[in-house]
Structures are given as structure tokens and as C-alpha cells.
Amino acid sequence: MSTTKAYAAQSATTPLAPWNLKRREPGPHDVQIEILFCGVCHSDLHTVRNEWGGTIFPAVPGHEIIGRVIKTGDHVKNFKQGELAGVGCMVDSCRECDNCKEGLEQYCDNGLVGTYNGKEKEGDGVTYGGYSKQIVVHEDFVLRISDKLPLEGVAPLLCAGITTYSPLRYWKVGKGDKVGILGLGGLGHMGVKLAASFGAEVTMLSHSPSKEADAKKLGAHHFILTSDKQQVKSVNNYFDFILDTVSAEHDYNMYLSMLKTNGKMVCVGAPPTPAQVPAFNLIFKRRTLAGSLIGGIPETQEMLDYCAEHNIVSDVEVIAIKDINECYERMLKGDVRYRFVIDMGTL
Ligand code: NAP
Ligand code: ZN
Ligand code: ZN
């Protein structure tokens, strides 16, 4: 075991603060990574404040990890010391169920092992995330990272990138589709960039008037302020596809009404409170309401390669780890342009 510096929440009501954790020594198939950057996802905040329930304390969040390999186990084939490497939201799964065999490890029938707040498959250890100096991960869950793009902008691709890429690809969004991206935060801004790059007509649906100019710079063709009744009415029965990235309670019905016949709304945002959706809002116009969880390892690699080829990165504000609690408050106010990324050199 080696001791690693980290930032942890000791309870749902205490701020994140320095804490030392223990990492296992790399086994034959493990890769040990020195963490350079870690993105700040709203799921980190939901978890450390126990908003979804089930948080194991102390909790060390962070699942948008970019770093450099410092050590590899004897049987590791795909990574060498000194190379760049990435870790997203999962560090293990059963590898035997139908989903795992298909590369859909996020839907593992026996439960994925989250990068943080997870239970390790071997032993009874708890997983701790990327707000730390180093991490040890089985090579099957480590991603290859191109050296062509700025690393701080690549880190958020490992969650915000794949979580928006996967549903857009699964539902074959592209040229000729009218797409609404709901919520302009970490996930939302990647949704805009990716949907636009796939050739769709993209409309930003936001409750923040100050984000209109940015939405257009990111690639949105239109902007609808969701608090303006006239603007909302103008997109009634309009969209083929809506990607809902909102982190807080909101009225799903208002957005379902924006779908045309056979339109689909996919929830990736995970508010802690359940939504009320009358069946009639789906029955009329044969609408679909669906959900999607991150993406499997093969698709995450495909997304990273696609972004490297098309020069797509996240727009980030690099922060020092000591400012993390203040940044959580800003994230709650929707005041992020558009992802905080921690420079781990500051830990
Ligand atoms: P974020 O950066 O905080 O963005 C959320 C956005 O939602 C805000 O920027 C804001 O956009 C909008 N919003 C916030 N409060 C709102 C309210 N009360 N009413 C309407 N809109 C509101 O968060 P994120 O990191 O993108 O994560 C978004 C959600 O996705 C979180 O719940 C997170 O846990 C979840 N998530 C899910 C997956 C998955 O696999 N499904 C993966 C990662 C994250 P505007 O200012 O533009 O309105
Ligand atoms: Zn995330
Ligand atoms: Zn499985």
C-alpha cells in the first residue's frame, strides 16, 4: 500500500479538506498513474453531499482523470511508463455478463465499480477518485490519451464528453435532426459541441440569459430562454431529440411538449428528486422518454479518438484544489464556464 495525498469530505455537511488515503500496490494487470488534472463533475457534488443517498465517508470524488503512467504491472500490454493515460467513471465491472461482453460495462448486470464511492471487486476496499495525487487501475479500464490536445481540456471528456457522446450516437443524431440541449453546464456544453459536429441543428435550452452568446460560440444555432413563455411556445412540437443535462428539479413536461411526433427526450442529468410525467404527454405524438449512463470503455476510447481527430475539447477554468469548496458553490449557481478542472500540481 502507498499513502497518497487527497481531498475528502468526511461527512455530507463538511467541506472537502486534505486527507491521506491508501492505494494498493499495482498488481500484474494494474497501471499506476500520477494525476495531472481532474475535472469537477456535478456528480461529485451530489455524492459528497449525499444527495442521492449511499455515500461512503470519507469520500474522495473525481472521475475525469488525466495523468501520466508511473508504473505498470508485469502483464500490462497497452501502457508504458511515461505515457499519458485517462480514467473515467468506472474502474471495474464483472467482465462476464452480456453487457460487459458487449463493451457496455456501465450497465454491468453485477454492478459497475465506480471510480469513487464504489466497492472494489477484490477485498472489501472502497474506491477513491481523482482529487488525489495518484491512482491504481486495472489496464482494461484505462484509456489512451492523445498528446495533440491540451490535457486540461481533455479531462472532462472522460465523463461530460462520453455521457453526451453515447446517447447522441446511440440514437443516431446527425444531419437533418433538430436537437435541443437542455442546460448549459459541463455536460451541456459538450452536448452542444458534439451534436453540432455530428451535423445536427442545435438549439440551446437554458434558464440563464447570460449564456446566449457563449452557446452560439460553442456551436448552437439557436438559443431559447426557458423562463420566457413566448420563446418556449415557439419550439412547441419542434425537436426530434432533446438531451436533458439539468442537475436540479425541473418540469419534464414542458420539454416533452417541445418534441415532435416520434421525438425522444433522453435524461442524463440526475436530479435527486423524482419527476412527475403523465402518460398522456408521451401517448400523444408517440414520444419517448429515456435515460443514458456515461458510456462503455470501447465507446469512451472511440469518443476520445474522435475528439482528438476533430480538435474537440472542453472549455475549462483551471483551479487550485484549495478553491474546490468555493467552486462547488459557483457550480450550484450555474456559474461555470463550462467545467472546473483541478490542477493536481496544487495538491
Ligand atoms: P453543471 O455543470 O452544474 O450543469 C447543470 C446545468 O443545469 C446548469 O449549468 C444549468 O444550465 C442547469 N440548471 C441548474 N439548475 C437548474 C434549475 N434549477 N433549473 C433549470 N436548469 C438548471 O452539471 P454537470 O456536471 O453538467 O451535470 C449535470 C447533471 O448530470 C448532474 O445531475 C450530474 O450528476 C449528471 N450526470 C449524469 C451522468 C450520466 O451518466 N447520466 C454523467 C455525469 C453527470 P443553464 O444555466 O443553462 O440553465
Ligand atoms: Zn461525472
Ligand atoms: Zn458485467
Side-chain angles (χ1 to χ4, degrees), residues 80-124:
K80 287 195 189 69
Q81 196 185 339
E83 283 180 343
L84 293 171
V87 180
C89 305
M90 301 178 281
V91 289
D92 211 348
S93 70
C94 86
R95 300 146 195 250
E96 285 168 359
C97 72
D98 290 348
N99 287 322
C100 284
K101 282 187 187 149
E102 267 185 64
L104 296 170
E105 302 88 349
Q106 77 275 33
Y107 302 124
C108 174
D109 290 334
N110 298 302
L112 66 87
V113 180
T115 302
Y116 57 79
N117 201 43
K119 294 264 178 64
E120 288 181 333
K121 287 272 173 217
E122 279 153 42
D124 53 5

Side-chain angles (χ1 to χ4, degrees), residues 160-175 177-182 187-202 240-245 264 266 268 291-294 299 302-303 306 312:
I162 185 59
T163 302
T164 49
Y165 183 92
S166 184
L168 290 169
R169 283 302 199 208
Y170 181 78
W171 278 279
K172 299 185 171 52
V173 169
K175 222 173 160 40
D177 289 326
K178 291 184 166 65
V179 174
I181 304 288
L182 174 53
L187 267 55
H189 93 290
M190 288 313 306
V192 170
K193 288 188 185 207
L194 290 168
S197 86
F198 298 160
E201 182 209 279
V202 181
D240 297 287
F241 188 90
I242 293 177
L243 189 64
D244 179 350
T245 77
K264 297 159 188 87
V266 176
V268 286
S292 183
L293 177 67
I294 47 172
E299 194 176 41
E302 175 192 307
M303 176 276 311
Y306 175 87
I312 297 173

Side-chain angles (χ1 to χ4, degrees), residues 42-43 45-46 51-52 182-183 207 244-252 255 267-275 331-334:
H42 206 113
S43 303
L45 190 157
H46 289 308
E51 292 176 353
W52 292 327
L182 174 53
H207 81 316
D244 179 350
T245 77
V246 173
S247 52
E249 188 175 352
H250 57 291
D251 180 11
Y252 286 46
Y255 303 102
C267 301
V268 286
T273 41
M331 181 156 68
L332 278 174
K333 287 190 221 134

